Amino acid sequence: MTSSIERGTVVANAQASDLTAFDLKAYLQERQAIVESALDQSINVVYPEKIYEAMRYSLMAGGKRLRPILCLAASELVGGTIEIALPTACALEMIHTMSLIHDDLPSMDNDDYRRGKLTNHKVYGEDVAILAGDGLLAYAFEFIASQTQNVPPERVLQVIAKLGRAVGAAGLVGGQIVDLECEGQSNVSLDTLNFIHRHKTGALLEASVLCGAMLAGATEAELQRLARYAQNIGLAFQIIDDVLDITATQAELGKTAGKDLQAQKVTYPSLWGIEESRRQAAQLIAEAKAELSCFGELAYPLMALAEYITARKH
Ligand code: GRG
């Protein structure tokens, strides 16, 4: 791979004496640059140009690139490299992006803004936006199968199976349909809310971590530890997302703020209040970090990413 990717391991391996000394800002900047460049190269605009342009419009619209970064970090944690995980990291962002495109459609959440830009259907129309999402979803799996190198084929198959399950009815799609069913209901239970978010948000975050680790040949015990880490950060991520919907501005979020309140949606803050929601998220993050303590300094990137989830402003 290119030298920029080899340099990518420098920050991860830097010997920070404790977690507070780990330079997350530099780490994120470096990883985001690697991911941006790989995504940019992943899709060319060819005939029929309109669909490729629409796919690229949302894929290259920014975003934190959290899922690819988690995937790369998990690979490195168990002795893998950025190189072996980069195609899967890109595929995760393609799938995440397609889920945002479809989520924003008038028949779903009906949003005009995403990542600080007009939503896909606002620019290209609903018909093209649906197809752009479909195109990204299919291409994600093709990309893993055709671009992953220096990984035994059975591991690649394991990753494809894990990811397929995470996005289908057992994952994102299942979470989204329960979310749609709960719209307008004020008596949604905590169990149902947890189901929605463990599937809608948690499943892809968990797959991001596990797929990176699987490619690197993680043991079953390591995968179980990483699954518990990822489930905790997934729920914490959504709790903070709900809090930010109330406390952050549209400019900070890059999408319409206050939508949950407006739609009278049951959210974690609506059940617990803002302070308790923050406390619960912090508890989940502490538990997530504890799962990885046996890895020592190698786990600093994943631990710092867990902290970032509660500290983030968008
Ligand atoms: C996956 C086949 C398939 C269909 C999609 C629409 C749908 C089914 C599911 C909805 C999934 C969804 C939109 C979940 C919300 C996840 C979430 C919290 C998104 C925000 O993620 P960030 O903050 O966003 O990481 P950025 O823009 O930074 O990437």
Side-chain angles (χ1 to χ4, degrees):
M1 266 284 172
T2 67
S3 57
S4 71
I5 290 175
E6 280 153 19
R7 277 200 303 276
T9 56
V10 172
V11 177
N13 294 340
Q15 297 290 302
S17 56
D18 62 36
L19 183 56
T20 53
F22 180 77
D23 190 348
L24 180 67
K25 196 170 167 218
Y27 179 81
L28 282 176
Q29 270 174 5
E30 183 195 59
R31 297 302 154 112
Q32 277 158 352
I34 292 170
V35 171
E36 287 304 324
S37 157
L39 286 173
D40 195 24
Q41 290 167 44
S42 70
I43 299 181
N44 291 323
V45 177
V46 291
Y47 181 81
E49 285 84 1
K50 185 179 269 179
I51 190 63
Y52 293 103
E53 278 165 12
M55 287 159 69
R56 279 188 64 93
Y57 173 78
S58 292
L59 189 64
M60 301 312 298
K64 296 179 284 296
R65 309 309 194 192
L66 189 56
R67 292 149 193 85
I69 292 172
L70 284 169
C71 175
L72 301 179
S75 169
E76 289 185 293
L77 174 72
V78 293
T81 60
I82 293 180
E83 182 195 355
I84 62 165
L86 197 52
T88 298
C90 290
L92 286 157
E93 191 64 26
M94 290 173 198
I95 291 170
H96 170 55
T97 301
M98 77 70 53
S99 79
L100 300 179
I101 296 173
H102 282 196
D103 192 52
D104 291 335
L105 288 169
S107 56
M108 301 246 186
D109 255 16
N110 192 20
D111 258 305
D112 291 353
Y113 290 95
R114 174 68 73 174
R115 293 174 162 171
K117 295 174 75 174
L118 283 172
T119 44
N120 200 290
H121 65 271
K122 281 275 156 194
V123 177
Y124 296 97
E126 254 183 273
D127 45 3
V128 176
I130 292 169
L131 291 172
D134 294 344
L136 282 169
L137 180 60
Y139 190 51
F141 288 94
E142 179 191 338
F143 201 70
I144 296 175
S146 65
Q147 301 299 313
T148 305
Q149 283 173 10
N150 303 320
V151 178
E154 60 272 16
R155 288 191 199 162
V156 181
L157 267 185
Q158 202 187 0
V159 162
I160 288 173
K162 178 90 206 159
L163 204 47
R165 190 167 171 78
V167 301
L172 267 79
V173 168
Q176 179 76 349
I177 194 143
V178 179
D179 195 14
L180 291 174
E181 280 171 358
C182 289
E183 236 168 56
Q185 288 184 27
S186 56
N187 60 345
V188 177
S189 68
L190 180 58
D191 277 352
T192 304
L193 196 62
N194 284 339
F195 179 94
I196 292 170
H197 297 308
R198 285 202 173 108
H199 291 78
K200 204 179 138 166
T201 304
L204 195 59
L205 289 169
E206 184 181 338
S208 304
V209 173
L210 293 185
C211 289
M214 282 171 178
L215 289 163
T219 64
E220 197 46 48
E222 286 169 337
L223 290 177
Q224 280 175 19
R225 221 166 241 296
L226 284 165
R228 288 193 293 272
Y229 158 87
Q231 285 155 12
N232 283 341
I233 66 164
L235 214 48
F237 185 89
Q238 187 59 51
I239 295 172
I240 294 303
D241 219 56
D242 286 357
V243 169
L244 289 173
D245 186 72
I246 301 170
T247 58
T249 62
Q250 172 161 340
E252 283 169 323
L253 292 179
K255 60 177 184 179
T256 319
K259 272 215 89 174
D260 295 341
L261 268 182
Q262 204 181 20
Q264 295 183 310
K265 255 184 138 170
V266 174
T267 61
Y268 291 103
S270 78
L271 291 180
W272 295 332
I274 291 180
E275 277 324 298
E276 178 60 11
S277 296
R278 286 204 173 110
R279 202 192 64 74
Q280 295 268 355
Q283 176 65 29
L284 286 164
I285 293 304
E287 286 168 23
K289 283 162 53 186
E291 284 293 343
L292 303 188
S293 57
C294 63
F295 291 102
E297 289 175 3
L298 281 175
Y300 284 174
L302 283 176
M303 289 185 180
L305 285 164
E307 288 181 349
Y308 167 71
I309 280 171
T310 43
R312 73 199 167 98
K313 299 274 180 280
H314 61 89

